[in-house]
Every structure is written in C-alpha cells, then in structure tokens.
C-alpha cells in the first residue's frame, strides 16, 4: 500500500461542492463557518441556523487562552488549511486546522509545556436545541462512541473519559 493513492481525492465528488474560502470564513455544500482572530469558529451555520451558543475556545485552568492565526487560511478544491498559536501560563499550543469539502474540521493540537501543565479544555458550546446526539472517537478507544444529548445545556463530551461509560 505504500505510495498508493487509492481513495485520495484531488477533486470533490458529486454532489459535494468545492470549499470556498473568504476573509475569516469558509463554506462547504451544507455548512458555513465564521472564524475569530484566534482561528477558532465563532459561528457554525448548518441548514441556515447558527448551532453555536458561543464561540469555540481553548481553556487553560478554566480561563480562555489568547490565540492568533499564524498561517492564513488557504483553500483548495477539497480542503482549506490554517494554523494558530495560543499562549498560556503553563503551556503554549500550536494549532493546525484542516476543513474538508464535507464540512469536517480536524484540529491538531501540539502542546509546548512550560513545566507542569494545567487542565486544558477545547470547548465547543452547541445550542441544546441543535444537538440531539453525539459521536466521538475517544483517544485510546476502539471504534466510535455515540449517545444522546440531554435536554439541558451543559457538558456533553469531555476528553477526560469516554462518554459511553457515563451513567
């Protein structure tokens, strides 16, 4: 399989459309994202509705980390990429981002410790009315975990434990 390009796309397959990049935003066939100066979404609009209750944040010991884009968003037909850097008290975080034509965004975080690292959280506050189920690939887990979101706002998914084990 080495050097095999089977399944690697250069063009967007129908019915998808190419990724569109503009200042501080990107758009796919079904989703539009607006981004803050830190490179994280301030809005995620799906089916005409902003599903976020507040902008996405990275927290260090419960406090928002200051971030800024270090590599401007660049788009190709199948994807867009950008990078950001977050400065904290106990660590800095390098963030590599890639959005694909189907609307999936991958956030890859590289921690740069300054000693003992405080508790970190990647917070994506979704409006309860817009989230009825969750799906995750837990670190170290086998396969996918899924579940239902409760009716009230609050913590739905954390990297501290596999939500499938919650009672």
């Amino acid at each position: 399989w080495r050097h095999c390009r089977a399944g690697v796309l250069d063009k967007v397959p129908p019915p998808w459309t190419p990724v569109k990049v503009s200042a501080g935003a990107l758009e796919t066939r079904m989703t539009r994202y607006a981004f803050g100066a830190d490179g994280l979404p301030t809005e995620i609009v799906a089916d005409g509705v902003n599903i976020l209750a507040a902008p996405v944040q990275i927290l260090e010991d419960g406090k928002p980390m200051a971030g800024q884009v270090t590599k401007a968003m660049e788009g190709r037909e199948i994807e867009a990429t950008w990078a950001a850097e977050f400065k904290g008290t106990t660590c800095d975080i390098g963030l590599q981002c890639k959005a694909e034509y189907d609307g999936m965004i991958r956030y890859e975080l590289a921690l740069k410790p300054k000693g003992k690292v405080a508790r970190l959280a990647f917070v994506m506050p979704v409006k309860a009315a817009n989230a009825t189920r969750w799906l995750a690939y837990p670190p170290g887990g086998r396969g996918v975990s899924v579940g239902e979101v409760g009716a009230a706002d609050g913590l739905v998914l954390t990297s501290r434990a596999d939500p499938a084990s919650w009672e």
Side-chain angles (χ1 to χ4, degrees):
W1 289 100
R2 191 172 181 186
H3 305 296
C4 178
R5 296 204 27 94
V8 176
L9 302 176
D10 294 321
K11 295 200 178 291
V12 175
W16 305 105
T17 57
V19 173
K20 295 178 189 170
V21 174
S22 59
L26 72 82
E27 192 171 332
T28 66
R29 180 174 185 249
M30 298 184 299
T31 313
R32 183 179 55 79
Y33 301 86
F35 297 91
D38 60 5
L40 294 174
T42 56
E43 290 185 345
I44 301 174
V45 178
D47 200 21
V49 176
N50 179 17
I51 64 171
L52 290 182
V56 174
Q57 295 181 313
I58 296 177
L59 305 180
E60 177 187 39
D61 207 18
K63 299 176 191 86
M65 293 181 75
Q68 69 178 25
V69 171
T70 56
K71 178 181 166 249
M73 193 174 292
E74 298 175 351
R76 299 186 315 140
E77 181 173 332
I78 61 168
E79 66 189 19
T81 58
W82 65 101
E85 181 81 20
F86 288 78
K87 301 288 185 183
T89 304
T90 64
C91 72
D92 294 335
I93 299 175
L95 186 67
Q96 297 291 322
C97 311
K98 179 165 70 169
E100 297 182 358
Y101 65 89
D102 61 359
M104 192 277 301
I105 298 181
R106 176 186 170 111
Y107 299 97
E108 189 173 313
L109 287 71
L111 300 179
K112 300 167 193 161
K114 299 176 182 177
K116 184 179 178 190
V117 176
R119 184 179 181 129
L120 299 172
F122 186 89
V123 180
M124 185 175 287
V126 177
K127 295 175 187 172
N130 298 318
T132 58
R133 299 193 54 76
W134 58 264
L135 177 143
Y137 291 91
R142 291 186 174 192
V144 66
S145 292
V146 297
E148 291 187 16
V149 175
D153 290 336
L155 181 64
V156 173
L157 186 64
T158 176
S159 61
R160 296 285 178 196
D162 180 355
S165 67
W166 296 350
E167 305 271 324

